[in-house]
Amino acid sequence: MKQPVIHPIVPPNAGGPAANTRLRALRSRIGRLFREMRKHKHAYALITPYFLIFGTFTVFPVLMSLCLSFTSFNMLEPPKWVGWSNYARLFVQDDVFLIALKNTLLFALITGPISYMACFLFAWLINELPPKLRALLTLILYAPSISGNTYLIWQTLFASDSYGYANSFLIKWGVIMEPIQWLQDPRFVLGILILVQLWLSLGTSFLAFIAGLQNVDRTLYEAGAIDGIRNRWQELWFITLPAMRPQLLFGAVIQITLAFSVAEISIYMIGFPSVDYAAHTIVTHLVDYGSIRYEMGYASAIATVLFTMMLCTNLLTRKLLGKVGE
């Protein structure tokens, strides 16, 4: 005769007092969350469309790219799981990617901090001018970032023949005897690219800093003078910068993104691929495998590495900006 299965009776407090305390705390947090959502239901209803769009076109593609980075996918056949093979190939076998990684890091380390500080410095100086003059200078400094085909100006400046402005000037003053192939010489292409990017860097961050400076409460400076602030540098560090933390963080995100995602200028000015891959960046490498070779799994691995680099840099920058004014 089959013996009945006897299930042990677990007392409610089998987990002990600590488990019950954690369970009660969890229930309390969940209940508090639902009460807050019911209280602010109209606000949640208003932001729901944004979150749906953000999730559909930002979060979902990032997660999809992360998953595809572990597969071999050519857009014609179903993805095949390959594990860490794409990343191993990226850092061990792909010499061009290592060149692109070096160029991107060098480019970001130079253009990122310089362009960020230049945006704030020009915004700080212009903010002290009369309104009409401030508006005119803002337009002049911001115009290059929204101008189309700006690379044509620099192509003319660094043209490889004697009619290029740089070669013409150097030949006239006897510095060189024959034209320099500026855009074909690996010694110069990355430096020219950095120069062009710095010229284009006064964009959205510049406008954000000007707006932030305009919105600083003027009474804070009066209170600071009473508390012992005696010069403009102390005002900048203890009042202006702390009051502009949101704009500073926004500008940092924009400048980091621009520094790590340079590709269009390199392709149109230097060519694709550049000579000896001297101006090859991670994004141009991504374009190569994603838009030309259609190795989407490998391209997703490149995109994941780039995303991780940008995320870590943003987190580090946010931590540093949190110390402003201390």
Side-chain angles (χ1 to χ4, degrees):
M1 184 175 179
K2 186 177 180 180
Q3 296 294 328
V5 179
I6 301 175
H7 298 280
I9 299 175
V10 181
N13 59 348
N20 291 334
T21 302
R22 289 194 296 269
L23 183 59
R24 285 196 297 268
L26 178 61
R27 289 175 177 174
S28 176
R29 286 197 296 268
I30 294 176
R32 188 162 54 249
L33 175 63
F34 279 104
R35 286 194 298 271
E36 289 293 324
M37 291 180 66
R38 285 196 298 268
K39 181 179 179 182
H40 303 286
K41 58 184 177 180
H42 297 94
Y44 283 105
L46 291 174
I47 65 176
T48 296
Y50 167 78
F51 276 103
L52 289 176
I53 296 174
F54 180 76
T56 303
F57 296 102
T58 302
V59 177
F60 179 73
V62 170
L63 296 178
M64 181 63 71
S65 176
L66 178 61
C67 294
L68 287 176
S69 68
F70 296 99
T71 66
S72 175
F73 182 40
N74 58 8
M75 298 186 68
L76 297 176
E77 300 173 342
K80 297 179 182 178
W81 183 264
V82 295
W84 295 95
S85 298
N86 287 329
Y87 293 97
R89 173 186 170 191
L90 200 62
F91 289 100
V92 177
Q93 301 177 0
D94 195 344
D95 295 334
V96 178
F97 173 75
L98 296 180
I99 296 174
L101 179 63
K102 181 198 69 174
N103 291 338
T104 302
L105 291 176
L106 182 62
F107 188 90
L109 288 173
I110 296 176
T111 61
I114 293 178
S115 60
Y116 184 76
M117 290 186 291
C119 285
F120 182 82
L121 179 61
F122 282 113
W124 187 44
L125 295 175
I126 290 175
N127 185 61
E128 303 298 326
L129 300 176
K132 292 184 178 180
L133 182 58
R134 181 172 64 237
L136 177 61
L137 290 177
T138 300
L139 176 62
I140 292 174
L141 293 174
Y142 180 67
S145 64
I146 59 175
S147 301
N149 297 333
T150 53
Y151 60 89
L152 293 176
I153 300 173
W154 294 91
Q155 281 183 329
T156 304
L157 180 62
F158 291 104
S160 300
D161 52 28
S162 59
Y163 295 100
Y165 290 108
N167 282 331
S168 177
F169 177 81
L170 294 176
I171 291 175
K172 180 179 179 180
W173 288 93
V175 179
I176 59 177
M177 301 302 296
E178 58 183 14
I180 297 176
Q181 306 292 316
W182 296 102
L183 302 180
Q184 285 77 40
D185 194 327
R187 296 175 299 172
F188 303 117
V189 290
L190 187 60
I192 293 174
L193 195 63
I194 291 173
L195 182 63
V196 175
Q197 183 62 32
L198 289 175
W199 183 66
L200 297 172
S201 62
L202 295 180
T204 307
S205 303
F206 174 63
L207 295 182
F209 291 157
I210 290 180
L213 288 167
Q214 291 293 307
N215 291 324
V216 175
D217 188 357
R218 309 308 298 183
T219 60
L220 294 176
Y221 296 107
E222 299 175 3
I226 296 174
D227 290 338
I229 292 179
R230 294 290 178 262
N231 54 59
R232 296 297 302 276
W233 295 109
Q234 291 179 340
E235 285 184 356
L236 176 65
W237 182 253
F238 292 107
I239 299 177
T240 305
L241 292 179
M244 288 181 58
R245 277 200 180 108
Q247 290 82 10
L248 293 175
L249 181 59
F250 174 76
V253 172
I254 295 296
Q255 295 304 124
I256 290 171
T257 303
L258 292 175
F260 278 101
S261 62
V262 59
E264 184 179 359
I265 302 173
S266 174
I267 293 173
Y268 287 120
M269 276 194 61
I270 313 300
F272 182 70
S274 56
V275 180
D276 292 341
Y277 298 103
H280 202 63
T281 64
I282 294 179
V283 178
T284 56
H285 204 56
L286 175 61
V287 170
D288 184 14
Y289 280 91
S291 301
I292 299 176
R293 309 189 191 198
Y294 291 105
E295 296 185 23
M296 303 307 295
Y298 193 66
S300 296
I302 298 173
T304 302
V305 171
L306 179 61
F307 175 78
T308 304
M309 292 170 57
M310 295 173 66
L311 180 63
C312 293
T313 307
N314 276 303
L315 293 176
L316 177 61
T317 304
R318 183 171 183 173
K319 185 176 181 179
L320 293 176
L321 289 177
K323 300 182 178 297
V324 171
E326 295 182 355

